[in-house]
Structure formats: structure tokens, C-alpha cells
Amino acid sequence: MTTYIYMVRHGESPKTGYKERERVLTKKGQIDAHRVTELLQAENIDVFVSSPYKRSILTIQELAEVAQKEILVLEDLKVRIFSAQDTRISDKELFPLLERSYSDPHYALPGGESNEECQIRGIKVIKELLHTYQGKKIAIGTHGAIMTLMMGYYDNHYNLKFLLQSSKPDIYRMEFNGQNLVAVARLWDG
């Protein structure tokens, strides 16, 4: 039985002025969230789940409302935790950290989690969703790093290069036969 998972990476959000979980969407992010709705409305998505971070919820919220569905918020879909602080790591610090994390999946800063740990919690959610909602279409409001790690579990083509080339927002439709990934299509055209 075919199940579809739509990975919806959140839209643009302000990089300062908010705690990480509370970052909303910029004006461009809001416009793009509306485009996400327009693009995915015809897909007739059955189930909506999201990271607990506001920017991810807001990116799929209008789409869920149009479908008259609630968004199930799952803590294990949160961003990869890079450090013990609830603040954004600067791009200057982030890129070397990402490079090291992809060359050593066990590497983590003190109080943070490794790529491996993040992937394990993300894949646990994916497997549960595939089991619980078999034959359905599931949209996931997500973040770049965990999205890449979840997709990379099934195909190592989804790696650091892929992450750095993905956009905000971005949409990938993953087609599963049971628990097996059979196809991926990029749906975002922005």
C-alpha cells in the first residue's frame, strides 16, 4: 500500500529577536506559506504533523485549515539541537559544525545532539507515521537539518550538499511502499 510523506521545510524566519521555538515567519515566509497551500491543496493531504517550532507550524497551518484538519505537534520532529542554549547558532559557527557533523555523525557540541541522535529520533517518528497512517498522505512541517537526516536514512544522496542547496520553504514528496522508500519528487518551484 502506497503512503506519501510530504516534507515541508519551513519558510523564511527572522534570525534574531526570538527564542528558537518562537521564531515566526517573515513577510516573505508568510507569502511562501500561502504558496505552499496553493501548491499542495490538490494533493488532498490526510494528516498534518509538525515540529513544535512555530515557524514549521505556521508554514503548514493554512494548508491544514483548508483541509479542515488539526496539526499534530510532535516534539521529536524539533530541530537538531546543536547546543544546550535555546538560541540560534550564527552561520559563521554553523557551517563548520555541519561539515564536521556530516563527516562524523557521532560528533556533537556539549549539551547538543549528533546527526546520528537526531536521525534516530526523526526516523522513529517516520516509521510510526508510516505504520499508523498506512495508505494516507502525510504532511510534515519540518526543518532543514532533520529533514535531510530523515531523508538521508533512506538514500545517502540526501547529505550536506543537499541540505545547503535546499530552500526555505522546500517540499519533497516521498513515496513509500510499506516502510520502503520508492520515489522522491521535489514539488517546490520557488
Side-chain angles (χ1 to χ4, degrees):
M1 183 174 290
T2 302
T3 305
Y4 293 95
I5 291 181
Y6 298 78
M7 292 286 192
V8 183
R9 185 179 186 188
H10 68 78
E12 181 182 275
S13 64
K15 295 183 177 182
T16 60
Y18 294 88
K19 289 190 175 208
E20 263 304 284
R21 285 181 180 258
E22 298 303 315
R23 283 174 45 200
V24 293
L25 298 174
T26 62
K27 185 67 174 169
K28 180 186 181 311
Q30 293 169 20
I31 291 167
D32 285 342
H34 181 70
R35 288 186 57 219
V36 166
T37 299
E38 290 176 338
L39 186 64
L40 292 181
Q41 191 171 353
E43 296 288 321
N44 297 313
I45 295 171
D46 303 295
V47 179
F48 294 83
V49 296
S50 180
S51 154
Y53 287 58
K54 193 170 251 181
R55 58 193 180 271
S56 293
I57 295 168
L58 291 172
T59 302
I60 64 169
Q61 186 171 355
E62 180 185 8
L63 179 62
E65 288 170 358
V66 168
Q68 299 181 331
K69 306 283 185 182
E70 297 291 322
I71 298 173
L72 175 62
V73 176
L74 300 176
E75 183 66 23
D76 279 344
L77 291 175
K78 67 187 174 194
V79 297
R80 177 179 164 205
I81 304 302
F82 290 106
S83 71
Q85 315 306 314
D86 185 32
T87 55
R88 186 180 182 282
I89 293 179
S90 72
D91 289 346
K92 183 179 177 181
E93 297 171 299
L94 181 61
F95 294 122
L97 175 58
L98 287 172
E99 286 178 337
R100 183 155 179 199
S101 296
Y102 275 88
S103 64
D104 177 3
H106 305 288
Y107 175 75
L109 292 174
E113 69 182 337
S114 67
N115 271 4
E116 181 183 54
E117 291 167 320
C118 182
Q119 184 181 61
I120 288 169
R121 73 171 157 82
I123 288 304
K124 181 180 174 203
V125 171
I126 295 291
K127 289 181 176 184
E128 288 172 4
L129 291 172
L130 289 170
H131 174 75
T132 303
Y133 301 107
Q134 187 175 13
K136 303 285 186 189
K137 294 180 177 183
I138 308 157
I140 298 178
T142 190
H143 307 271
I146 189 169
M147 175 184 81
T148 301
L149 292 168
M150 289 186 291
M151 293 173 73
Y153 174 83
Y154 295 99
D155 182 344
N156 65 9
H157 158 162
Y158 302 103
N159 54 23
L160 179 59
K161 182 178 177 183
F162 168 81
L163 171 61
L164 297 177
Q165 292 175 347
S166 66
S167 62
K168 291 180 186 178
D170 216 336
I171 304 170
Y172 295 87
R173 181 180 59 214
M174 302 173 71
E175 180 181 342
F176 289 86
N177 181 358
Q179 294 280 332
N180 299 313
L181 179 66
V182 294
V184 177
R186 184 174 190 229
L187 302 183
W188 183 250
D189 57 3

